[in-house]
Amino acid sequence: MAITKETVVDKIEVLEMGQVQVRTATVIKEDGTELNRSFNRHVVVPSVKNGDNWGDTDISSEDARVQAICNATWTDAVKTAYQTIIDAQPQLGE
């Protein structure tokens, strides 16, 4: 009786402002038969802000397919548009 746990990126979506949403499935199997499947999601944004400065998001720890989609999607125009939208939002406490 072998129980295994497998984690796979099973869905990658590009959202309206250029964010990339990643769904990860965790699959528990016993002797090859699936017993359970659960999902987690996280969002990767085109740019990150540190103080008043924008920088590229570090995607080095993402799945290779996620990296490929980010690199193909995040043109300079997409990054600039994302930054403009975020900068236009009121900050907490304002």
Side-chain angles (χ1 to χ4, degrees):
M1 181 183 314
I3 296 179
T4 60
K5 176 180 175 181
E6 177 182 12
T7 304
V8 295
V9 171
D10 72 336
K11 185 179 277 193
I12 305 167
E13 301 169 305
V14 178
L15 305 179
E16 183 178 358
M17 293 189 331
Q19 311 99 315
V20 176
Q21 180 170 257
V22 182
R23 184 175 82 175
T24 304
T26 302
V27 182
I28 307 296
K29 294 181 181 180
E30 181 177 0
D31 295 329
T33 301
E34 186 174 315
L35 300 176
N36 186 43
R37 179 180 293 253
S38 61
F39 302 102
N40 289 298
R41 290 183 186 268
H42 69 278
V43 176
V44 187
V45 295
S47 296
V48 292
K49 194 169 190 177
N50 186 5
D52 290 334
N53 300 315
W54 285 98
D56 290 340
T57 300
D58 180 6
I59 57 173
S60 62
S61 64
E62 297 291 338
D63 179 87
R65 294 174 301 144
V66 173
Q67 290 182 31
I69 289 170
C70 290
N71 288 329
T73 304
W74 293 348
T75 62
D76 288 340
V78 168
K79 291 177 188 178
T80 300
Y82 176 80
Q83 294 166 8
T84 301
I85 290 168
I86 298 302
D87 283 340
Q89 294 178 355
Q91 299 300 311
L92 292 176
E94 287 185 7

